[in-house]
Amino acid sequence: MKILAANAGTLTNFEVLDFLRSKGAAKDSTRVLANVVPSEYKVYDYLVKTAACNQTKENIKEFSERCKKFDLAKAEVLNIINMRPSSAVGVYPIVEQCADRFEDVEELVELVTTMLPPPPTQPESEGGNTQPESEGEKTQPESEGEKTQADSEGGKPKEGTDE
Amino acid sequence: MFYLSRLEHTFRVPPSLLSLPCEEVVKGELEKLFLDKVIAKLGLCVSVYDIRSIKGGFIFPSDGAPTYTVVFRLIMFRPFEGEIIAAKLKESNSTGLRLSLGFFDDIYIPVELFPIPSSFKPDPNKKDKGTWEWEFGGDPFIVDGIDEILFRVRSISYPSIPLEQPEQAKPFAPMRITNAVTTMRYVCVCLCLSAYQN
């Protein structure tokens, strides 16, 4: 076995989830029929509970365009997309020297909360609607347009982020 | 958390599979070889992303099966240093916490990297196990496994396979992630929020 490129591109949690979905992974009982191995299902089960499950490609693209003005490192943008911090307190550990780099962290937080849909059981703000935490219950995404759309390429592999 | 890695591998395809389409067989063999396995320095292989090229198919003398050289990309789980990840508590004892992601269980937070002040309350029923408690602003926050723990990745190590293991040792872990619980303010609000949710 030869390693040609240890890092042929980073993937957000959403991209991995999308790939697994295109292979046929789903939450319901069609599991045995799909071409997905149990170890891949464990990854799917983890990702479906994070913020990635409600995201779309358009959300992420637009978000990374809009946060260019904050001059964040690629790793920080990736972390924010994966974790979807809903308050300033969530941003501080992700962004190094946050207080020095931004005068107004709230602006970044607002961008995150407006551009990226919330994960299934996260309340929108600190005192917001508390969702009952029941197993397997997914709350509806915020608006119809934010539902994950079926990929037009079907199951074909997509280009990675960088070669 | 996830990277793409491009690898090349040469392997033999058993003759029993030759009636199926070549790409399918190659993908199946790659999945058998790499899925859910740790490759040193690359991480845990989650899935075969795509196959870039399949070359060869030669049958070597005295062998009954073709050998292919395949270039392919794998999705590897390999968090970078400084990444923030959410995980569930798996075990809690006097040396620290062990967390689990469902597909990966060897995440350790040693005692030295806990927020200060933390204290350990041993469980009277089971020796070695117990719960950790963190005091902040006069309120104790108990790490009890109900809420998710957000941690920052400190380091990843790939210990080499041991030649011998004592009988009581834990199963060998080819990839270990060591972490720090994040800054005090963050953990406090995180635990507050989760307590509010519950």
Side-chain angles (χ1 to χ4, degrees):
Chain A
M1 180 190 79
K2 216 168 25 168
I3 300 174
L4 300 175
N7 183 1
T10 40
L11 295 173
T12 56
N13 287 3
F14 163 73
E15 285 167 306
V16 178
L17 187 60
D18 200 36
F19 172 75
L20 290 172
R21 277 194 185 130
S22 71
K23 270 185 95 169
K27 266 187 125 169
D28 52 17
S29 52
T30 56
R31 287 195 165 191
V32 280
L33 302 168
N35 197 11
V36 180
V37 190
S39 63
E40 287 172 332
Y41 261 119
K42 287 190 189 159
V43 180
Y44 178 80
D45 287 338
Y46 172 77
L47 289 175
V48 130
K49 296 195 196 117
T50 63
C53 84
N54 288 336
Q55 289 171 352
T56 64
K57 250 191 259 183
E58 290 79 19
N59 283 353
I60 294 184
K61 230 191 214 167
E62 228 190 300
F63 177 76
S64 34
E65 283 298 318
R66 296 266 284 266
C67 69
K68 275 192 181 139
K69 66 171 188 179
F70 291 104
D71 203 23
L72 295 165
K74 197 167 163 199
E76 289 166 347
V77 178
L78 189 71
N79 236 344
I80 292 179
I81 294 176
N82 285 344
M83 291 309 302
R84 207 254 177 197
S86 55
S87 60
V89 151
V91 174
Y92 278 108
I94 296 181
V95 180
E96 280 177 46
Q97 288 154 358
C98 196
D100 300 330
R101 282 157 74 178
F102 306 120
E103 295 136 4
D104 189 14
V105 184
E106 291 299 325
E107 211 189 318
L108 178 59
V109 175
E110 218 191 289
L111 185 65
V112 172
T113 45
T114 45
M115 296 256 74
L116 301 174
T121 51
Q122 191 187 63
E124 195 42 33
S125 60
E126 282 190 50
N129 310 317
T130 43
Q131 311 283 354
E133 276 206 75
S134 53
E135 294 298 315
E137 189 179 322
K138 207 163 84 161
T139 56
Q140 289 300 324
E142 284 189 317
S143 64
E144 282 300 311
E146 280 170 349
K147 278 213 178 86
T148 34
Q149 294 153 23
D151 199 3
S152 56
E153 290 171 37
K156 298 261 160 52
K158 302 168 262 285
E159 285 303 303
T161 43
D162 306 323
E163 272 295 338
Chain B
M1 241 202 301
F2 298 100
Y3 283 90
L4 280 177
S5 289
R6 199 165 68 242
L7 285 92
E8 183 188 288
H9 190 54
T10 305
F11 59 94
R12 183 182 174 275
V13 172
S16 48
L17 300 174
L18 289 178
S19 53
L20 300 167
C22 182
E23 221 185 272
E24 221 180 275
V25 169
V26 163
K27 193 158 191 210
E29 286 298 301
L30 288 174
E31 285 183 349
K32 253 195 269 188
L33 280 170
F34 291 106
L35 235 56
D36 210 24
K37 309 260 189 335
V38 172
I39 303 178
K41 309 283 184 292
L42 288 185
L44 173 72
C45 174
V46 167
S47 196
V48 175
Y49 188 67
D50 63 4
I51 299 176
R52 307 293 271 175
S53 70
I54 304 177
K55 289 201 195 94
F58 301 112
I59 303 178
F60 291 104
S62 80
D63 193 2
T67 305
Y68 291 99
T69 302
V70 185
V71 175
F72 53 98
R73 287 191 292 187
L74 296 174
I75 301 182
M76 307 299 292
F77 166 69
R78 181 175 83 243
F80 53 87
E81 259 177 52
E83 185 171 356
I84 312 279
I85 304 180
K88 290 220 146 56
L89 179 69
K90 187 167 175 184
E91 245 174 52
S92 164
N93 56 28
S94 49
T95 54
L97 295 174
R98 183 176 176 185
L99 305 174
S100 157
L101 288 175
F103 57 94
F104 186 77
D105 290 342
D106 297 307
I107 303 177
Y108 296 92
I109 307 189
V111 182
E112 308 85 58
L113 300 175
F114 272 34
I116 306 162
S118 296
S119 55
F120 181 62
K121 306 253 176 314
D123 191 339
N125 297 333
K126 307 179 203 146
K127 62 168 190 156
D128 298 338
K129 304 269 197 287
T131 44
W132 281 93
E133 221 174 76
W134 175 52
E135 278 158 45
F136 183 75
D139 301 317
F141 294 103
I142 305 175
V143 181
D144 53 7
I146 299 176
D147 311 314
E148 278 196 333
I149 299 179
L150 280 104
F151 60 89
R152 170 183 283 129
V153 175
R154 229 334 174 65
S155 66
I156 309 181
S157 63
Y158 302 91
S160 48
I161 303 177
L163 294 166
E164 267 182 33
Q165 267 185 320
E167 284 207 11
Q168 298 299 323
K170 287 191 286 205
F172 170 66
M175 180 174 165
R176 285 173 64 115
I177 301 183
T178 316
N179 313 290
V181 181
T182 49
T183 61
M184 278 169 65
R185 200 187 327 169
Y186 182 54
V187 176
C188 163
V189 181
C190 158
L191 289 170
C192 277
L193 280 178
S194 342
Y196 193 80
Q197 265 178 345
N198 294 336

